[in-house]
Amino acid sequence: MKALVFAALLACSSSSGGGFGAQPFTTATSDGGKLSVALYSSPDPIARVSSVELVVTDATSGTPVDGLDVSIEPFMPAMGHGASTQPTLEAKGGGVYIATNVLMVMPGEWQLRTTFAGSVSDTLVTSVDVQ
């Protein structure tokens, strides 16, 4: 049942518009196992300057998690640096959070180092390939 709820959320999740891809570029469980996160990008595929939609659900129940303070830090491990600007995040409700101005200045592998605080505290590091 939990998997069915999560699958239904993923199918409907990119409802905020903004040109986000129909399919997430990745789905992952947070480092502490508390959250399931689906990430979508605009443009799709992810580019050097993108917006990222995070659909955050409870990893156990599959219910959307609202009221979190979310931050994303783009980081390029091969070069040992992050971005010169910090993305802006906005909560949209229903477990949806939008990060705008996600700047990854050169092609290669980048990490999106994401921190969640509030009713749930956890972290998530996802890798993306920027062309």
Side-chain angles (χ1 to χ4, degrees):
M1 180 65 173
K2 291 179 216 171
L4 181 61
V5 170
F6 186 65
L9 284 170
L10 288 179
C12 305
S13 62
S14 195
S15 59
S16 63
F20 290 98
Q23 298 295 318
F25 65 83
T26 192
T27 56
T29 301
S30 61
D31 299 331
K34 300 174 184 177
L35 302 169
S36 293
V37 183
L39 292 98
Y40 299 80
S41 70
S42 176
D44 181 24
I46 201 162
R48 293 181 192 186
V49 179
S50 296
S51 292
V52 175
E53 178 183 61
L54 297 89
V55 179
V56 182
T57 58
D58 180 274
T60 304
S61 68
T63 58
V65 181
D66 286 324
L68 297 175
D69 181 19
V70 181
S71 65
I72 292 181
E73 176 192 356
F75 186 81
M76 189 175 209
M79 300 299 285
H81 66 75
S84 59
T85 61
Q86 191 67 19
T88 302
L89 272 108
E90 180 181 1
K92 294 296 210 176
V96 176
Y97 300 83
I98 306 289
T100 55
N101 199 31
V102 180
L103 179 64
M104 296 170 280
V105 296
M106 60 182 63
E109 181 184 344
W110 284 79
Q111 295 175 336
L112 296 178
R113 297 178 173 182
T114 308
T115 302
F116 304 93
S119 60
V120 177
S121 294
D122 212 336
T123 58
L124 174 66
V125 177
T126 54
S127 293
V128 295
D129 186 34
V130 176
Q131 298 302 314

